[in-house]
Amino acid sequence: AAPLVDEKNAQAMALGYAADSTKVDGKKYPKHAATQLCSNCTLYTGKAGEATGPCGIFPGKHVTAKGWCSAYVKKA
Ligand code: SF4
């Protein structure tokens, strides 16, 4: 499997990526909602039921299905 995105990676930091969406700072990211997860984001291409998967923003790496970042766009 691809390596996981490190939350402390510069790009991850810039986007406020968290491997656990429940840990996102709501004051810093007021648009964040608990229902927003990488697994239901348009940019996520992981398979349903898997814990991690690819995200278009982080080529070559995996994000967690329950993660989140400020580039979140709800899957249509
Ligand atoms: Fe997760 Fe979407 Fe952000 Fe990628 S763009 S890290 S899938 S919330």
Side-chain angles (χ1 to χ4, degrees):
L4 286 175
V5 170
D6 182 345
E7 290 178 343
K8 298 199 167 61
N9 155 292
Q11 190 188 358
M13 296 272 285
L15 290 167
Y17 171 75
D20 180 349
S21 183
T22 66
K23 304 265 162 70
V24 172
D25 181 352
K27 287 200 182 81
K28 201 169 172 192
Y29 299 103
K31 280 193 262 178
H32 170 262
T35 51
Q36 298 176 352
L37 302 169
C38 289
S39 59
N40 58 38
C41 171
T42 297
L43 287 104
Y44 186 77
T45 54
K47 294 194 190 92
E50 291 193 356
T52 71
C55 159
I57 281 186
F58 297 103
K61 297 209 171 143
H62 272 192
V63 296
T64 62
K66 62 179 180 144
W68 183 87
C69 90
S70 60
Y72 176 86
V73 180
K74 193 181 191 314
K75 224 183 259 275

